[in-house]
């Protein structure tokens, strides 16, 4: 160990250069991980917070189910009778609105029954009730954009006026802040025609995007009920893929992260391969003095571990600092557990790169190398 530290001190310029590369790789992996988690939260956090085990969609909607699926009350009643579990309709639609104070916002309107298990809890103001059909409970993200409890939100092109009665926790769908409205109000937003007369409200269909199940069906399997009622049942986690852009974003960010994991061992391995070649005479001398191959291996692995671990730790600090710097301006989320797991992976793949150099270390021949160096 003493010799390993001595070499680190003697060649500190080279090891600092290598360490700085590890710092940058680790920081980049951490930052990409933060954006991956943040983008995922900004796409599906509202779905993740739904207290539902499964979601039922129409069978003709094979992708983007929240936008393409439509179910009616007849199907919901049949499901409710056969599934023997608590169910409630859910409507999802992205729209725009302007408050009476001039704040323009995009919002994902989630239509729920006020008395159902999907009715959101509020952190400020009042919740949705049957007595206030034109009320709306908004996510805290909309408050950041200038919407306040007590404001009147007018849906663009439709003229539907909604009274902001409450505030709930931060949640988003498809990178758009979520607002909860009564299901009847959601149907007006989803199916109303811009410029249509008020009498047309009577023709609005009694449909919704999905049927939320509080627990899986108790009597009959979901597959059997799907075949019986021409529906498709997905677990809540599987339904994340129905959110716009979620799958593509995950594939893109995970691909970048995987390539960084592949780059790390190659960079570390290349450095220590060159370093091992340069100190072949010293390795041969140590063998001639009686050092075992096991000791030389431990010597090399210790140097690699110090460089990789210290560089990764510095990279983790840098990634965390970037997260604090960007704050809530961009979708970035890097929990301690995610950061720790990511950095442990960087350390593991970095040390794996040193395996490329171990064979040359063990092949150091004292007689041949000492004779060759004369």
């Amino acid at each position: 160990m003493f010799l390993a530290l001595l070499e680190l001190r003697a060649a500190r310029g080279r090891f600092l250069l290598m360490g700085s590369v590890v710092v940058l790789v680790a920081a980049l992996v951490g930052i990409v991980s933060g954006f991956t988690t943040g983008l995922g939260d900004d796409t599906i956090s509202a779905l993740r917070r739904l207290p539902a085990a499964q979601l039922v969609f129409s069978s003709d909607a094979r992708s983007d189910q929240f936008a393409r699926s439509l179910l009616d009350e007849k199907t919901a009643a049949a499901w409710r009778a056969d599934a023997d579990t608590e169910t409630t309709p859910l409507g999802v639609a992205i729209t725009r609105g302007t408050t009476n104070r001039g704040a323009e916002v995009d919002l994902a309107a989630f239509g729920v029954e006020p008395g159902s298990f999907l009715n959101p809890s509020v952190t400020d103001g009042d919740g949705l009730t049957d007595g206030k059909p034109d009320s709306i409970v908004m996510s805290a993200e909309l408050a950041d954009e200038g919407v306040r409890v007590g404001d009147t939100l007018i849906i663009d092109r439709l003229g539907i006026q909604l009274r902001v009665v409450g505030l709930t926790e931060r949640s988003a769908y498809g990178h758009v802040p979520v607002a909860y409205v009564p299901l009847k109000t959601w149907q007006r937003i989803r199916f109303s025609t811009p410029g249509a007369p008020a009498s047309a409200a009577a023709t609005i269909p009694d449909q919704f995007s999905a049927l939320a199940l509080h627990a899986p069906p108790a009597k009959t399997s979901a597959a059997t009920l799907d075949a019986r009622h021409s529906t498709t049942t997905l677990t809540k986690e599987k339904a994340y893929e129905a959110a716009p852009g979620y799958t593509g974003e995950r594939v893109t960010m995970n691909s970048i992260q995987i390539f960084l994991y592949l780059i790390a061992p190659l960079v570390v391995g290349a450095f220590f391969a060159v370093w091992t070649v340069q100190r072949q005479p010293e390795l041969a001398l140590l063998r001639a003095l009686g050092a075992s191959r096991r000791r030389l291996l431990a010597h090399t692995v210790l140097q690699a571990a110090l460089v990789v671990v210290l560089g990764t730790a510095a990279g983790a600090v840098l990634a965390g600092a970037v997260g604090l710097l960007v704050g809530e301006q961009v979708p970035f989320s890097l929990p301690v557990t995610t950061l720790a797991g990511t950095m442990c992976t960087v350390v593991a793949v970095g040390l794996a790169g040193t395996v490329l150099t171990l064979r040359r270390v063990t092949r150091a021949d004292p007689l041949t190398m000492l004779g060759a160096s004369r």
Side-chain angles (χ1 to χ4, degrees), residues 2-360:
F2 172 76
L3 186 59
L5 296 176
L6 189 63
E7 283 189 343
L8 286 174
R9 180 179 178 183
R12 56 182 175 272
R14 298 178 186 179
F15 283 103
L16 284 175
L17 178 62
M18 182 58 208
S20 64
V21 174
V22 175
V23 170
L24 294 177
V25 171
L28 188 56
V29 171
I31 292 171
V32 171
S33 179
F35 278 117
T36 301
T37 305
L39 287 170
D41 289 343
D42 206 43
T43 304
I44 62 166
S45 60
L47 300 179
R48 187 179 291 142
R49 292 190 175 96
L50 289 177
Q54 295 178 332
L55 294 169
V56 181
F57 300 95
S58 60
S59 59
D60 57 345
R62 305 185 187 279
S63 62
D64 298 330
Q65 284 91 340
F66 287 107
R68 298 179 178 180
S69 171
L70 285 176
L71 296 175
D72 54 26
E73 183 56 34
K74 180 180 178 181
T75 303
W79 250 93
R80 191 176 298 114
D82 293 343
D84 191 25
T85 186
E86 188 176 1
T87 66
T88 186
L90 171 67
V92 178
I94 295 178
T95 185
R96 295 180 52 86
T98 305
T99 68
N100 57 316
R101 294 187 296 108
E104 299 180 355
V105 295
D106 296 317
L107 66 150
F110 273 39
V112 299
E113 294 285 0
S116 70
F117 61 86
L118 293 185
N119 193 15
S121 59
V122 297
T123 58
D124 185 24
D126 301 322
L128 298 179
T129 61
D130 291 325
K132 298 179 180 179
D134 290 332
S135 58
I136 180 173
V137 173
M138 65 179 184
S139 163
E141 293 187 29
L142 286 172
D144 297 340
E145 299 183 21
V147 184
R148 298 290 181 267
V149 174
D151 286 354
T152 298
L153 180 69
I154 304 174
I155 302 300
D156 291 355
R157 300 190 304 159
L158 301 178
I160 299 174
Q161 297 187 11
L162 305 175
R163 184 74 172 177
V164 180
V165 297
L167 183 70
T168 188
E169 59 187 357
R170 302 180 67 87
S171 58
Y173 169 80
H175 304 297
V176 180
V178 164
Y180 297 87
V181 297
L183 184 63
K184 293 296 184 181
T185 302
W186 178 86
Q187 290 169 344
R188 291 171 56 200
I189 296 174
R190 173 67 172 81
F191 299 112
S192 292
T193 302
S199 58
T203 63
I204 292 177
D206 187 14
Q207 294 178 323
F208 39 86
S209 303
L211 187 66
L213 308 182
H214 195 254
K219 292 182 178 180
T220 311
S221 67
T224 301
L225 293 176
D226 284 337
R228 185 181 302 171
H229 302 297
S230 298
T231 56
T232 300
T233 302
L234 302 177
T235 63
K236 185 174 69 171
E237 290 73 19
K238 188 66 176 178
Y240 294 163
E241 299 176 5
Y246 177 74
T247 302
E249 289 173 354
R250 298 287 291 183
V251 171
T252 301
M253 302 305 293
N254 287 334
S255 298
I256 296 174
Q257 201 164 2
I258 290 173
F259 275 109
L260 290 174
Y261 285 142
L262 295 176
I263 290 172
L266 294 178
V267 172
V268 174
F271 172 81
F272 279 98
V274 173
W275 175 245
T276 302
V277 170
Q278 291 178 341
R279 62 192 185 98
Q280 281 294 314
E282 288 81 358
L283 294 175
L285 179 59
L286 290 174
R287 291 284 291 127
L289 292 175
S292 64
R293 288 186 174 88
R294 180 177 297 179
R295 177 166 295 183
L296 294 182
L297 287 175
H299 170 82
T300 303
V301 171
L302 177 61
Q303 287 183 336
L306 287 173
V307 172
V308 173
V309 171
L310 293 178
T312 302
V317 173
L318 183 57
V322 170
L324 294 176
L325 182 63
V326 298
E328 297 179 354
Q329 300 176 4
V330 296
F332 186 94
S333 176
L334 192 58
V336 175
T337 54
T338 302
L339 180 61
T342 301
M343 294 302 108
C344 287
T345 305
V346 173
V347 170
V349 298
L351 292 178
T354 62
V355 175
L356 302 174
T357 68
L358 297 182
R359 184 179 179 184
R360 187 176 290 274

